[in-house]
Amino acid sequence: MIHSLFLINQSGDIFLEKHWKSVIGRSVCDYFFEAKEKAVDPENVAPVLQTPHHYLISILRGKLFFLSVIQTEVPPLFVIEFLHRVADTFQDYFGDCSEGVIKDNLVTVYELLEEMLDNGFPLATESNVLKEMIRPPTILRSVVNTLTGGSNVGDTLPTGQLSNIPWRRAGVKYTNNEAYFDVIEEIDAILDKSGTTVCAEIQGVIEACVRLTGMPDLTLSFMNPRLLDDVSFHPCVRFKRWESERVLSFIPPDGNFTLMTYHVSSQNLVAIPVYVKQNISFFETGPCGRLDITIGPKQTMGKTVEGLMVTIHMPKAVLSANLTATQGNYSYDLATKVLVWDIGKLNPQKLPNLRGSLSMQAGVPRPEENPSLNIELKIQQLAISGLKVSRLDMYGEKYKPFKGVKYVTKAGKFQVRT
Amino acid sequence: MTDSKYFTTTKKGEIFELKAELNSDKKEKKKEAVKKVIASMTVGKDVSALFPDVVNCMQTDNLELKKLVYLYLMNYAKSQPDMAIMAVNTFVKDCEDPNPLIRALAVRTMGCIRVDKITEYLCEPLRKCLKDEDPYVRKTAAVCVAKLHDINAQLVEDQGFLDTLKDLISDSNPMVVANAVAALSEIAESHPNSNLLDLNPQTINKLLTALNECTEWGQIFILDCLANYTPRDDRESQSICERVTPRLSHANSAVVLSAVKVLMKFMEMLPKDLDYYGTLLKKLAPPLVTLLSAEPELQYVALRNINLIVQRRPEILKHEMKVFFVKYNDPIYVKLEKLDIMIRLASQANIAQVLAELKEYATEVDVDFVRKAVRAIGRCAIKVEQSAERCVSTLLDLIQTKVNYVVQEAIVVIKDIFRKYPNKYESVIATLCENLDSLDEPEARAAMIWIVGEYAERIDNADELLESFLEGFHDESTQVQLQLLTAIVKLFLKKPTETQELVQQVLSLATQDSDNPDLRDRGYIYWRLLSTDPVAAKEVVLAEKPLISEETDLIEPTLLEELICHIGTLASVYHKPPSAFVEGSRGVQHKRLPGSAGSGESVESPDVASAPGVSEAPPAVIPSQGDLLGDLLNLDLTPPTTTGPPPPSSGMQMGAMDLLGGGLDSLMGDESEPMGGGFGAAPAAMPASFTAPVSGGLDDLFDLGGGVGMPMGAYSPPKTVWLPAMKAKGLEISGTFARRSGVVQMEMTLTNKAMSVMTDFAIQFNRNSFGLAPAGPLQVLTPLSPNQSIEVTLPLNTVGPVMKMEPLNNLQVAVKNNIDVFYFSCQYPISMLFAEDGKMERQVFLATWKDIPNENESQFQIKDCHLNSDAASNKLQGSNIFTIAKRTVEGQDMLYQSMKLSNGIWLLAELRVQAGNPNYTSLQVSLKCRAPEVSQCVFQSYEAVLKN
């Protein structure tokens, strides 16, 4: 099971360690530092490393490495999932998961880690349960605690942990009962030079915010559930009903949670909302190149494309860019060689264009690689897969809740090759 | 207000100040002080000096303060064991607290204090907590057993906690079940044979019920535990699969992968024509694809596992090629794995797409990735024949880019393509030659030299090209030097007139100026070969090479089967069996996939999780570094080619013969290496031609073995596996012993389960109790191709060196082939050694019987044997156990028998058979012998002979 956890910042300092079994010396991290050194970029460090006596499994979240040490055969996915859960919990508790925030809340962090894992076995990882035992710090509560001598550790048994629905706390009460669902879809796609789709798929997620009194039993149904290729559910969803009727039936956790994630893959045709016409070339003679990019709407289902942004990782030899944008601003970071063009809203009448010249380092051969374009965009009120929620029913409680469903489509890993 | 305030006190008297605060009367001040202590502790400051003061704060009703003190205790108890005892009372008291949270917390913390003295006090509270009415306490206590086991395993066993833990598997609360399973699994890992998780259909049912209701982490433990179970039949297998499939839709990817493992394993048992089998296959693909949209770390582990799944069942993901396409900002470790899987999935249907992608990748920034992409193109060419032409033209395009490392990789893979499709794409050689100068990596240089040598007749200036390499001969790496030597010899054999000088130059460089033994040996061999018999040289050097196939990069089937059983574990990430690297788990058991239904053996197929059979001694594989084998290791293992009598017709000198026999295989072995992947089959033609006359000379030996048959009907046990392929790099040996026409024989089946050809088999025995030794060399005349088996009979004599073994009939064997030397031990039935002249005179028998002291007599019962005395007597006679006299006393037949061991020891026996009574089916054997140690073995033989 999980032996120890080290938190390591970008510059390679261990700023927190926690051991669930015997103490393992910090020197074990040297193997990790070695690998980090070799990988150059922090995101390229292999997540599973073998050392003579231990295994190191790490994740990179934000700018922090969560490095766990294990000694026996443990499913690596289990460890990685758990580490992400730890990071999520910090995010949830402190609103951020950075070195500063963690150092500011060290004792709470320690209490959390102690509560999440016992002897390497996960104990309480549901945010609802944890919050019952260790209350998240708020300025108000700190002040009250100091004045009254109260504590931020609950002293009742977290009841949810023992019921059949460990994700929901008992005795929830709200004056305004509301249930909101966000259907968020991300398009992962690769387009080739000519604009043809090489591959495209949609990763969807339904995020819920449910604030309902008592023990509501909800049923969410879709207009077109057969669209979904693969689904993964929050443990609260009754799988049998999904199998037989294709509806989501569940008693929700209290507060924010991910109800389901789904996948619409290449078997179905994925609509590509924009097209990109681009030409990036480097001349054989002379240290310069040309860049010309135009973006236009393709399949937007009549909605507006917003938050449009293009990111290009330029070859190392590119020194500067002298470009003109008909819309939005561009910037070129010399250190990271990243060109960012922030366009904003896409106006179909007047297509945004970025063109100009690139100046190169003299005496360096023409770069071989072709930089890829990374596109970001957002379309409100549209689930690009066509998924639609048809209705939400509540059983088990008498009151009438406010209900709402929002759709949004974003670009995930949306790349255009040149 | 944040915790950072706790770090502000960095003054000198910090510890002193804290001490004062800890002893303060004010609760709030105390708590703040403990928090400061904890904060210092977390950043690695030593605050152990405050131990007594902090422990004093423990007796409080404030839960937070209690928890903080517990945190401190866990950290420092080890360094202050005497002080920690002070805390014991509070723990014991807390374990009886009315609040289950406190009870659980106390038992949990106590388990974390790794001090021996404390663990003794822990037993009673733990026992109570394991039976607590509150499931929260029970589930915490279950984990505590694992903790305690880690500290003091003996204590846990003595106190019977393991049994209590096993009972908890039947607990009504799913969370308790899950934790009990987790704890047992962890304990079982350090006790591989303890059979802790005794899985039967009832427990399986309980686990499956708990699976639906426990937490995601509990589901992982339960699924991993389920994977160790072997269902009785395909119906049970199907019903488990049906109940596990919903887990594929879990949000936690570790749950999904563990479920995939269970399904992949149990699927083996389902008949392929079953509808459900097809349904299941379809259900597996989407969750695997979804894993790839998770965080990169998860993707990596998923990809390593998908790599295994694709090799075992390519049909699952054959339509999902696109999800493995590489995005430019994927981490490098994800990119490389995706590439690997793309090649595995490449087929005629999708090859165009794949090639387009690979070409795209070849222009990326990352050098490692680009290299692998270029290699991938070559692998596609070898895998999908129809695409070869397109691959070659893609490679030529890439060579045109003149990017140095791309060109070098391309040349290395083109060489492989030449080997796979000879005489097809040689037109591109001209283009390759243009890039000769830019090659600076040994592998690429060696590849290019190989191409020049191999196609010397088509390259006009081959001699010039090779000569140019020769100038810096000593600066080249060994790989290039060896290749250059071979290439020039090839050139010479093809164009002898113009290149004599060149070949002499290279031979002298290799033999005289080099201190590399490989190079020197190869040089000498070529030299002698060329000077003795140029025709033979031509046959050897220019022999037709076996084609290479795409399988070279596949995982061996036996290893793959084991790895499939370990999906989701570290083993699956490293693609190595757990025994190869997991520390601390002594004697990890090899897991095997269950056999498929309908094959009949599935029911009896060895239970992967159960302990090895006790009754029959399984053939033990001796670890290769065993010290007891010291003398065995020193034995000279000679390949068969040299031990046979020299062929009388051969005109060659003995010396040359020796040199060739010993050196050739190493030469051939070497040569195949630089050609990219150890195809090993090169010597195929060679040893056969040398050994042909030898085998003729040994024909009579063979006749002895197979021809005469077995008029005596001597009992020979069925073949058992002596050396599993797992332990011997793919060589599996099963065998038995037989005595035919007075000669003891070892009959073996050698099976090659590896990917490459095996040659040069030889065998040796360690000294043993009866001086058994091979009477001749091991006759494996043809190389053993992959997946081929060969039956070998090895005649034995009993004149070898003697050493007493335990058990007496134990035989330690070393088998050598071109890959390695392997050791195993087996047991032979002692009846093999009973001589034909073992019939004693009646008078002598009587005298001897009396002469041998009674303490040398031993008695055995053979149960359930339905034989009358005559049948028994006949059967035994077949194995040279002779009946001398027969008496009938009170309805019992008494047979007096004698036998003689090969080393001259006589054995006398009295066999009692209940003649007229069919209900009484036991036979009684009394054995008398001057060397009573053999009795046990003889009895085993009796039983084996009579029951077969």
Side-chain angles (χ1 to χ4, degrees):
Chain A
M1 296 298 118
I2 300 169
H3 239 271
S4 306
L5 173 73
F6 294 95
L7 295 192
I8 298 167
N9 64 18
Q10 200 79 324
S11 51
D13 300 321
I14 303 169
F15 66 91
L16 184 132
E17 58 184 292
K18 165 82 189 152
H19 306 276
W20 283 277
K21 293 184 166 190
S22 48
V23 176
I24 292 174
R26 286 181 173 207
S27 58
V28 75
C29 298
D30 292 349
Y31 295 98
F32 174 79
F33 294 135
E34 207 174 289
K36 183 167 170 267
E37 198 72 27
K38 223 181 271 169
V40 188
D41 290 328
E43 55 267 26
N44 282 342
V45 185
V48 186
L49 295 172
Q50 192 179 358
T51 80
H53 302 285
H54 304 92
Y55 300 93
L56 307 178
I57 299 183
S58 61
I59 63 162
L60 178 65
R61 277 289 288 255
K63 292 197 153 110
L64 300 182
F65 284 104
F66 288 65
L67 175 80
S68 65
V69 182
I70 58 173
Q71 231 168 356
T72 48
E73 176 70 83
V74 179
L77 273 191
F78 158 91
V79 181
I80 295 172
E81 278 277 358
F82 178 80
L83 292 177
H84 278 295
R85 210 59 65 83
V86 171
D88 290 343
T89 308
F90 290 168
Q91 182 86 34
D92 189 27
Y93 262 71
F94 314 125
D96 188 14
C97 181
S98 67
E99 187 180 356
V101 162
I102 291 174
K103 275 187 167 165
D104 279 349
N105 295 284
L106 253 179
V107 177
T108 313
V109 164
Y110 230 62
E111 283 172 334
L112 278 173
L113 290 176
E114 187 58 34
E115 217 49 68
M116 291 181 84
L117 212 58
D118 175 22
N119 194 37
F121 296 98
L123 199 61
T125 51
E126 283 283 340
S127 134
N128 268 299
V129 176
L130 280 171
K131 282 188 179 157
E132 251 182 280
M133 291 190 285
I134 301 159
R135 293 189 197 114
T138 59
I139 290 170
L140 181 67
R141 184 165 308 123
S142 310
V143 174
V144 172
N145 282 352
T146 337
L147 293 178
T148 61
S151 107
N152 68 337
V153 170
D155 51 2
T156 52
L157 184 64
T159 43
Q161 249 183 328
L162 293 174
S163 67
N164 279 339
I165 38 172
W167 54 85
R168 189 172 178 86
R169 82 195 141 99
V172 182
K173 265 208 179 99
Y174 288 103
T175 41
N176 292 326
N177 288 296
E178 45 196 18
Y180 298 116
F181 296 90
D182 289 356
V183 180
I184 305 162
E185 294 195 341
E186 292 195 352
I187 309 169
D188 285 356
I190 301 176
L191 308 183
D192 72 4
K193 255 187 265 286
S194 58
T196 326
T197 311
V198 176
C199 67
E201 53 190 356
I202 295 168
Q203 314 288 352
V205 58
I206 301 184
E207 297 284 1
C209 173
V210 178
R211 298 176 189 283
L212 297 174
T213 307
M215 275 288 165
D217 196 333
L218 302 179
T219 306
L220 184 81
S221 49
F222 298 104
M223 308 269 262
N224 38 12
R226 315 240 157 236
L227 220 73
L228 311 177
D229 281 321
D230 185 45
V231 285
S232 357
F233 298 121
H234 188 277
C236 68
V237 176
R238 297 181 181 104
F239 190 72
K240 284 246 162 65
R241 293 231 19 218
W242 170 258
E243 283 242 294
S244 55
E245 302 163 51
R246 299 274 147 180
V247 296
L248 300 179
S249 157
F250 57 98
I251 296 174
D254 184 41
N256 296 318
F257 65 100
T258 304
L259 178 63
M260 74 182 280
T261 58
Y262 59 90
H263 186 88
V264 180
S265 76
S266 11
Q267 258 66 352
N268 300 315
L269 270 184
V270 174
I272 302 293
V274 293
Y275 69 84
V276 180
K277 269 198 211 154
Q278 42 73 27
N279 180 26
I280 302 175
S281 53
F282 304 104
F283 302 131
E284 287 289 354
T285 52
C288 56
R290 277 205 62 76
L291 178 145
D292 188 342
I293 303 171
T294 310
I295 297 187
K298 208 171 168 187
Q299 293 156 289
T300 57
M301 320 287 168
K303 308 272 191 217
T304 325
V305 179
E306 303 168 26
L308 202 54
M309 185 144 86
V310 180
T311 314
I312 311 170
H313 283 261
M314 285 294 180
K316 283 202 182 63
V318 177
L319 283 182
S320 67
N322 184 14
L323 310 168
T324 19
T326 59
Q327 187 187 338
N329 306 311
Y330 81 91
S331 65
Y332 182 62
D333 184 341
L334 194 59
T336 55
K337 309 283 179 195
V338 175
L339 177 72
V340 180
W341 178 27
D342 191 347
I343 302 166
K345 205 177 267 183
L346 178 67
N347 178 1
Q349 270 72 49
K350 192 170 161 288
L351 299 181
N353 170 278
L354 179 73
R355 79 170 81 191
S357 63
L358 304 167
S359 66
M360 319 274 294
Q361 206 173 332
V364 171
R366 198 167 66 100
E368 283 89 28
E369 76 260 22
N370 305 319
S372 288
L373 276 58
N374 213 27
I375 312 272
E376 277 170 59
L377 56 83
K378 204 171 178 184
I379 306 171
Q380 301 282 5
Q381 292 311 316
L382 172 74
I384 197 98
S385 68
L387 187 77
K388 272 217 158 65
V389 174
S390 67
R391 56 185 297 144
L392 176 74
D393 299 307
M394 188 183 75
Y395 306 93
E397 296 287 338
K398 293 270 182 301
Y399 55 86
K400 261 205 157 334
F402 293 109
K403 298 180 278 191
V405 180
K406 245 178 24 185
Y407 300 91
V408 63
T409 296
K410 294 177 186 172
K413 289 176 181 164
F414 193 106
Q415 304 184 348
V416 184
R417 290 176 179 160
T418 61
Chain B
M1 205 165 71
T2 65
D3 293 345
S4 52
K5 66 182 169 177
Y6 302 124
F7 298 104
T8 50
T9 50
T10 49
K11 284 165 283 177
K12 256 198 167 172
E14 185 190 358
I15 297 278
F16 185 78
E17 267 177 36
L18 281 172
K19 207 179 182 87
E21 284 175 42
L22 283 170
N23 291 316
S24 149
D25 295 333
K26 280 193 196 145
K27 255 191 194 171
E28 195 47 36
K29 206 157 193 188
K30 253 189 189 177
K31 198 170 84 184
E32 288 301 298
V34 176
K35 275 199 173 184
K36 280 183 201 168
V37 173
I38 301 280
S40 306
M41 186 181 87
T42 55
V43 291
K45 274 187 208 160
D46 184 19
V47 282
S48 58
L50 295 166
F51 200 91
D53 307 285
V54 177
V55 170
N56 273 339
C57 302
M58 192 171 156
Q59 297 204 13
T60 169
D61 46 3
N62 183 318
L63 193 63
E64 189 186 16
L65 185 54
K66 206 181 238 335
K67 276 191 172 182
L68 290 171
V69 176
Y70 280 179
L71 269 177
Y72 178 88
L73 261 174
M74 282 186 246
N75 214 10
Y76 284 117
K78 187 100 197 166
S79 55
Q80 310 255 346
D82 296 327
M83 290 292 205
I85 296 282
M86 287 169 27
V88 163
N89 260 335
T90 321
F91 278 126
V92 175
K93 219 165 78 195
D94 281 355
C95 283
E96 315 232 324
D97 197 277
N99 184 341
L101 191 64
I102 304 264
R103 293 204 294 277
L105 185 64
V107 76
R108 196 176 118 199
T109 313
M110 251 178 125
C112 292
I113 297 177
R114 308 176 62 86
V115 176
D116 274 341
K117 282 182 197 158
I118 289 212
T119 49
E120 290 164 29
Y121 296 97
L122 177 58
C123 291
E124 276 321 300
L126 178 58
R127 199 187 314 281
K128 250 181 235 160
C129 288
L130 278 168
K131 303 226 155 95
D132 200 283
E133 52 172 19
D134 195 307
Y136 183 74
V137 181
R138 288 203 299 276
K139 85 172 187 154
T140 313
V143 175
C144 190
V145 175
K147 294 182 198 169
L148 193 57
H149 187 270
D150 194 30
I151 304 166
N152 190 342
Q154 196 56 43
L155 186 72
V156 170
E157 276 164 48
D158 295 345
Q159 295 279 331
F161 285 140
L162 292 183
D163 294 322
T164 323
L165 206 51
K166 280 190 215 165
D167 293 342
L168 285 184
I169 291 188
S170 315
D171 199 279
S172 57
N173 185 297
M175 251 77 89
V176 179
V177 177
N179 275 17
V181 169
L184 280 171
S185 309
E186 196 182 58
I187 295 172
E189 207 172 329
S190 54
H191 282 262
N193 295 324
S194 53
N195 213 5
L196 278 175
L197 281 160
D198 184 21
L199 298 174
N200 55 46
Q202 286 76 40
T203 44
I204 291 294
N205 201 28
K206 295 226 174 74
L207 291 182
L208 285 168
T209 313
L211 181 62
N212 288 328
E213 291 169 25
C214 67
T215 66
E216 50 198 306
W217 314 108
Q219 294 184 11
I220 300 170
F221 296 128
I222 291 182
L223 285 168
D224 284 348
C225 176
L226 276 176
N228 289 330
Y229 177 65
T230 306
R232 286 162 305 173
D233 50 32
D234 50 324
R235 289 186 51 194
E236 190 185 9
S237 189
Q238 180 176 347
S239 90
I240 295 176
C241 286
E242 278 166 358
R243 294 176 71 176
V244 167
T245 25
R247 297 302 115 210
L248 292 176
S249 300
H250 201 285
N252 186 320
S253 58
V255 175
V256 174
L257 201 57
S258 289
V260 168
K261 162 163 60 186
V262 175
L263 296 174
M264 280 296 284
K265 195 179 161 194
F266 289 6
M267 221 172 162
E268 297 286 330
M269 289 187 69
L270 300 178
K272 303 257 179 309
D273 46 358
L274 197 70
D275 284 346
Y276 181 69
Y277 178 82
T279 322
L280 196 54
L281 271 185
K282 274 194 209 107
K283 278 192 176 165
L284 277 170
L288 289 174
V289 170
T290 300
L291 287 180
L292 298 181
S293 56
E295 285 83 359
E297 298 93 3
L298 296 169
Q299 278 188 49
Y300 171 72
V301 178
L303 284 166
R304 290 296 283 174
N305 280 285
I306 288 173
N307 199 327
L308 296 174
I309 293 168
V310 162
Q311 286 184 61
R312 180 78 194 165
R313 296 193 181 278
E315 63 271 31
I316 294 178
L317 287 168
K318 68 176 175 213
H319 298 303
E320 303 290 347
M321 173 62 90
K322 283 186 175 176
V323 299
F324 299 102
F325 285 180
V326 172
K327 307 214 165 68
Y328 82 89
N329 46 5
D330 283 334
I332 182 73
Y333 55 83
V334 168
K335 284 183 178 172
L336 296 177
E337 291 307 317
K338 280 187 171 174
L339 201 52
D340 224 30
I341 295 170
M342 279 173 69
I343 302 162
R344 297 212 193 282
L345 287 177
S347 66
Q348 204 184 333
N350 56 24
I351 192 74
Q353 253 184 343
V354 174
L355 272 180
E357 279 295 302
L358 291 177
K359 201 175 168 185
E360 194 71 44
Y361 303 159
T363 61
E364 278 237 20
V365 197
D366 195 305
V367 176
D368 282 344
F369 180 59
V370 171
R371 282 174 184 275
K372 195 154 179 183
V374 176
R375 290 215 172 198
I377 297 175
R379 275 166 73 184
C380 285
I382 288 161
K383 188 171 178 195
V384 187
E385 190 166 351
Q386 293 82 358
S387 76
E389 192 153 353
R390 210 179 304 169
C391 293
V392 171
S393 75
T394 309
L395 287 169
L396 285 178
D397 286 352
L398 290 174
I399 289 177
Q400 298 305 340
T401 64
K402 302 277 178 199
V403 180
N404 189 282
Y405 52 84
V406 174
V407 173
Q408 310 213 39
E409 287 296 328
I411 286 181
V412 172
V413 296
I414 285 181
K415 181 209 68 191
D416 286 345
I417 296 177
F418 282 172
R419 285 211 47 194
K420 168 82 178 179
Y421 309 108
N423 305 317
K424 230 173 151 187
Y425 301 109
E426 281 73 9
S427 53
V428 308
I429 290 176
T431 323
L432 302 186
C433 290
E434 286 165 22
N435 292 288
L436 214 57
D437 301 330
S438 62
L439 307 179
D440 53 9
E441 290 162 25
E443 200 181 355
R445 284 173 85 85
M448 193 63 218
I449 293 170
W450 182 87
I451 293 172
V452 174
E454 190 67 18
Y455 299 101
E457 68 272 29
R458 306 186 193 202
I459 306 172
D460 293 335
N461 59 344
D463 48 344
E464 284 169 36
L465 292 176
L466 292 176
E467 204 172 351
S468 68
F469 280 103
L470 206 55
E471 282 161 19
F473 188 77
H474 290 296
D475 303 327
E476 299 283 0
S477 71
T478 314
Q479 188 185 14
V480 179
Q481 287 175 334
L482 287 168
Q483 207 52 260
L484 193 54
L485 173 61
T486 307
I488 291 179
V489 172
K490 281 182 190 165
L491 174 71
F492 170 69
L493 290 167
K494 288 175 180 175
K495 303 178 178 173
T497 43
E498 311 123 67
T499 55
Q500 203 151 3
E501 204 173 307
L502 192 62
V503 81
Q504 264 167 6
Q505 202 182 338
V506 77
L507 285 175
S508 81
L509 275 173
T511 52
Q512 286 159 26
D513 301 340
S514 167
D515 43 13
N516 182 320
D518 281 350
L519 188 63
R520 240 174 15 220
D521 281 358
R522 196 187 282 195
Y524 277 124
I525 287 162
Y526 281 142
W527 201 325
R528 296 221 178 135
L529 207 51
L530 291 172
S531 56
T532 332
D533 187 352
V535 181
K538 206 161 187 168
E539 273 173 36
V540 173
V541 179
L542 302 179
E544 206 165 298
K545 278 160 286 297
L547 297 181
I548 57 171
S549 67
E550 42 117 357
E551 271 113 42
T552 43
D553 62 299
L554 292 179
I555 295 175
E556 255 180 55
T558 39
L559 177 60
L560 181 62
E561 282 197 11
E562 189 178 359
L563 290 178
I564 288 285
C565 298
H566 288 286
I567 283 177
T569 65
L570 284 167
S572 71
V573 174
Y574 285 108
H575 290 186
K576 283 184 205 160
S579 51
F581 65 95
V582 173
E583 224 187 45
S585 46
R586 294 145 281 171
V588 177
Q589 287 197 358
H590 287 279
K591 295 187 182 180
R592 279 188 24 207
L593 289 174
S596 85
S599 67
E601 62 162 10
S602 66
V603 187
E604 298 139 78
S605 74
D607 185 345
V608 285
S610 74
V614 197
S615 54
E616 47 186 321
V621 172
I622 304 164
S624 42
Q625 279 107 4
D627 351 5
L628 76 159
L629 279 174
D631 42 357
L632 187 59
L633 282 164
N634 291 334
L635 291 176
D636 185 19
L637 289 161
T638 38
T641 42
T642 51
T643 45
S649 60
S650 165
M652 263 182 240
Q653 296 165 335
M654 241 345 254
M657 173 79 185
D658 255 348
L659 185 61
L660 286 172
L664 252 183
D665 38 358
S666 72
L667 157 69
M668 294 313 223
D670 283 346
E671 189 171 45
S672 59
E673 263 172 36
M675 295 196 273
F679 309 110
M686 282 305 304
S689 68
F690 280 109
T691 48
V694 181
S695 72
L698 286 169
D699 272 352
D700 42 355
L701 264 181
F702 260 102
D703 284 345
L704 266 181
V708 182
M710 24 177 199
M712 307 287 283
Y715 164 67
S716 159
K719 282 188 179 172
T720 49
V721 177
W722 286 339
L723 181 68
M726 286 297 309
K727 300 258 182 177
K729 304 185 179 165
L731 174 66
E732 185 181 277
I733 300 182
S734 57
T736 183
F737 292 87
R739 187 181 183 93
R740 304 206 199 281
S741 307
V743 178
V744 184
Q745 293 177 344
M746 193 165 168
E747 298 177 349
M748 289 179 285
T749 308
L750 311 183
T751 310
N752 181 352
K753 294 198 170 172
M755 287 297 167
S756 57
V757 176
M758 296 181 177
T759 55
D760 305 337
F761 288 94
I763 195 163
Q764 279 292 356
F765 293 172
N766 194 4
R767 289 188 283 177
N768 53 71
S769 315
F770 295 97
L772 275 176
L778 188 63
Q779 297 289 330
V780 185
L781 300 178
T782 47
L784 197 53
S785 323
N787 284 323
Q788 199 193 344
S789 290
I790 190 169
E791 304 278 344
V792 195
T793 303
L794 180 72
L796 308 180
N797 58 35
T798 51
V799 296
V802 175
M803 181 174 81
K804 194 177 162 190
M805 298 298 290
E806 190 54 50
L808 215 55
N809 57 343
N810 194 22
L811 180 65
Q812 296 179 332
V813 184
V815 170
K816 191 198 105 155
N817 63 11
N818 58 326
I819 297 168
D820 207 338
V821 183
F822 310 107
Y823 305 94
F824 62 87
S825 71
C826 51
Q827 293 182 5
Y828 48 90
I830 208 163
S831 58
M832 295 303 117
L833 301 171
F834 294 162
E836 273 71 18
D837 57 348
K839 187 158 185 169
M840 222 176 215
E841 290 295 332
R842 278 185 180 216
Q843 299 305 319
V844 184
F845 184 90
L846 268 174
T848 320
W849 186 269
K850 282 180 189 154
D851 206 359
I852 298 174
N854 276 342
E855 56 268 31
N856 278 13
E857 184 174 345
S858 44
Q859 296 202 331
F860 306 101
Q861 285 237 325
I862 299 171
K863 293 208 169 84
D864 299 315
C865 186
H866 303 268
L867 287 174
N868 62 29
S869 56
D870 286 343
S873 170
N874 278 339
K875 270 201 158 186
L876 292 168
Q877 179 122 13
S879 295
N880 292 343
I881 301 174
F882 300 98
T883 306
I884 295 159
K886 178 180 163 183
R887 256 194 325 157
T888 307
V889 183
E890 295 163 2
Q892 287 188 9
D893 284 345
M894 318 276 273
L895 299 177
Y896 294 96
Q897 300 175 316
S898 73
M899 60 223 94
K900 184 183 146 194
L901 283 169
S902 56
N903 55 359
I905 294 179
W906 284 92
L907 287 146
L908 309 181
E910 179 195 79
L911 182 68
R912 251 183 247 195
V913 186
Q914 297 283 340
N917 188 352
N919 298 327
Y920 193 68
T921 55
S922 285
L923 304 183
Q924 176 117 21
V925 188
S926 303
L927 269 177
K928 265 194 164 184
C929 178
R930 294 196 193 276
E933 312 84 295
V934 301
S935 304
Q936 188 61 38
C937 298
V938 173
F939 162 66
Q940 282 167 6
S941 287
Y942 255 95
E943 183 162 51
V945 171
L946 286 172
K947 287 197 172 169
N948 282 284

